Amino acid sequence: MKQEYFYTIAVTHKKFSLSEIGKLHADDSSVKDILTKIKAGLHLKELVYLSTCNRVEFLFTTQKPVNKAFITNLFVLLNANLKKTEVKKLVTYAKVYSGSEAVNHILCVASSLDSLVVGEREIITQFRQAYDKCNEFGLTGDVMRLLSRHTIETAKQIFTETDIAKNPVSV
């Protein structure tokens, strides 16, 4: 059996305008169908979709290679109305993390170290809600459950044991 690998694909304020990121926000009424289609269409074992005002993150496990064709398919499955130029920019500038680098990235996201406002606490709630929703949709499994629990515990520890949230700073 082939090895499953953990990935995160991030589209954030660092490379994209908020209007560009907005094109990757799935409407609440259709998000379950869209994410189920993405999971099946890309042969993902597990999937978590985090969508906030300044980022969209896809956390997933797969045996498939994550290359430009894979990422193109991901964005087109999420929003079939994207123009070819928009998809090309997304594929070119989306940040792809794998393995331990992906875990480190999501820890930084949940603890607000990779936020537009460093020190804001809302992201930990948004991460938890994203996991809970994807879990409710049947998109997650043991890897995402353990990752979610570890991520939330780590972010809480960072907020509790440091002064990061004392004076949030906009980047």
Side-chain angles (χ1 to χ4, degrees), residues 122-137:
E122 187 176 353
I123 188 65
I124 191 170
T125 301
Q126 292 168 325
F127 175 79
R128 182 190 329 237
Q129 290 171 343
Y131 169 77
D132 288 346
K133 185 179 282 190
C134 290
N135 186 50
E136 176 186 317
F137 294 160

Side-chain angles (χ1 to χ4, degrees), residues 46-87:
E46 299 184 48
L47 172 64
V48 171
Y49 168 74
L50 173 63
S51 178
T52 74
C53 64
N54 59 29
R55 73 176 54 251
V56 170
E57 304 260 350
F58 300 89
L59 295 73
F60 58 93
T61 58
T62 187
Q63 294 178 349
K64 302 290 181 187
V66 176
N67 52 28
K68 285 185 179 192
F70 179 98
I71 300 167
T72 299
N73 288 337
L74 171 67
F75 292 135
V76 171
L77 285 168
L78 181 68
N79 182 349
N81 296 320
L82 288 170
K83 297 174 187 166
K84 286 183 181 182
T85 55
E86 293 170 323
V87 173

